[in-house]
Amino acid sequence: MRVRDKVVVVTGAASGIGRAMALRFAEEGASGVVVADLDEAGAAGVAKEIGDRAVAVRADVSVEAEVAALTETPFGPPDLFCSNAGVIAGRGLDATAQDWSSLWAVNVQAHVYAARAVVPLMVSRGSGYLLNTCSAAGLISCPGDAPYAVTKAAAIAFAEWVSIHYAPKGVKVSVLCPQGVRTAMLERGVAEDHLTARAVGASGAILDPADVAATVVEGLAAERFHIFPHPEVADFARRKADDPDRWLAGMARFVESLA
């Protein structure tokens, strides 16, 4: 997947990783970039940075009709749909039913809605690409945030399912699995001295969103399913697969050390 001359949709694009990807795709020569976000003013600001090849759309990705509407762009049907929007809970067993419902809607169902909307279009023309932002948490859990860990793991499982069924029909899928990224979400956790933020800080480098976007472009060109801005995440996942009991014990010790 080369982004040049392609139509791209990015959700959660008003800030953070989504904003960085939208700007980088434009820099790479995308013919059109749909900057979608619940934050309409923020999305408009990003679209203005890009210029005539971008349009801002207010979209609540927890609403299927609003996700489906993103496929109707002024630039034509999307070649690449980046389902990037995500939310956190910051809670463990104390997470409420509403916490679980909200995170499931954005972190999982939004990917389902995107696939329902674009996969048939992509199959009909024999090509297309889905990029789902799933986080390292989907592979190696998330200290301090049970709903986030569970929903991100579910998002990866869904992306695997889509790839298995539709790659033979020309639809490629990648999951973006970064660890620590300098976003408002992480900065808020640091300010609150949250366990999740402490774990992220102790696990590796904190990347700039632009660095993540650069890795995305490279990963899409290679058409890798897993895109790892932090290469160590691949090692962590391998250790987990090789010896789950040892990995769980090590993670438990790690979490205890952060208390």
Side-chain angles (χ1 to χ4, degrees):
M1 163 58 73
R2 302 287 181 181
V3 180
R4 178 170 293 281
D5 299 325
K6 299 296 195 302
V7 176
V8 184
V9 175
V10 186
T11 68
S15 61
I17 294 172
R19 173 182 179 274
M21 288 197 298
L23 294 174
R24 182 58 187 259
F25 293 149
E27 182 182 324
E28 292 290 319
S31 60
V33 180
V34 176
V35 182
D37 204 289
L38 195 58
D39 175 5
E40 188 172 10
V46 176
K48 185 176 180 180
E49 286 186 72
I50 294 172
D52 292 342
R53 288 180 294 131
V55 62
V57 179
R58 183 193 180 279
D60 181 346
V61 298
S62 69
V63 178
E64 184 165 13
E66 295 191 24
V67 176
L70 295 175
T71 64
E72 299 172 4
T73 88
F75 313 109
D79 300 290
L80 169 62
F81 195 106
C82 302
S83 187
N84 169 75
V87 291
I88 60 173
R91 297 182 177 183
L93 293 180
D94 60 331
T96 66
Q98 183 57 49
D99 289 329
W100 283 98
S101 178
S102 296
L103 266 73
W104 188 265
V106 175
N107 294 352
V108 182
Q109 283 300 125
H111 298 312
V112 176
Y113 299 155
R116 283 177 177 167
V118 300
V119 166
L121 299 175
M122 293 174 175
V123 169
S124 69
R125 68 173 185 255
S127 67
Y129 215 112
L130 294 173
L131 172 68
N132 295 348
T133 300
C134 297
S135 173
L139 292 169
I140 56 175
S141 197
C142 181
D145 198 325
Y148 190 76
V150 172
T151 55
K152 290 299 185 178
I156 292 175
F158 177 68
E160 291 171 344
W161 186 93
V162 174
S163 181
I164 290 167
H165 288 78
Y166 293 99
K169 297 177 174 63
V171 181
K172 302 297 180 65
V173 184
S174 290
V175 291
L176 174 59
C177 298
Q179 199 162 236
V181 183
R182 197 170 291 106
T183 64
M185 188 183 293
L186 178 59
E187 289 172 355
R188 187 164 57 249
V190 170
E192 296 171 355
D193 193 30
H194 194 277
L195 174 61
T196 300
R198 295 203 300 274
V200 168
S203 299
I206 305 300
L207 300 181
D208 187 83
D211 297 325
V212 177
T215 304
V216 166
V217 169
E218 188 272 332
L220 291 175
E223 297 190 347
R224 289 194 299 270
F225 180 76
H226 290 115
I227 297 179
F228 293 127
H230 298 78
E232 61 268 27
V233 173
D235 293 329
F236 297 156
R238 276 192 290 270
R239 292 174 195 170
K240 176 183 175 182
D242 288 345
D243 193 337
D245 293 321
R246 181 177 180 180
W247 178 81
L248 285 167
M251 283 293 287
R253 290 192 299 271
F254 174 58
V255 172
E256 284 292 313
S257 74
L258 298 171

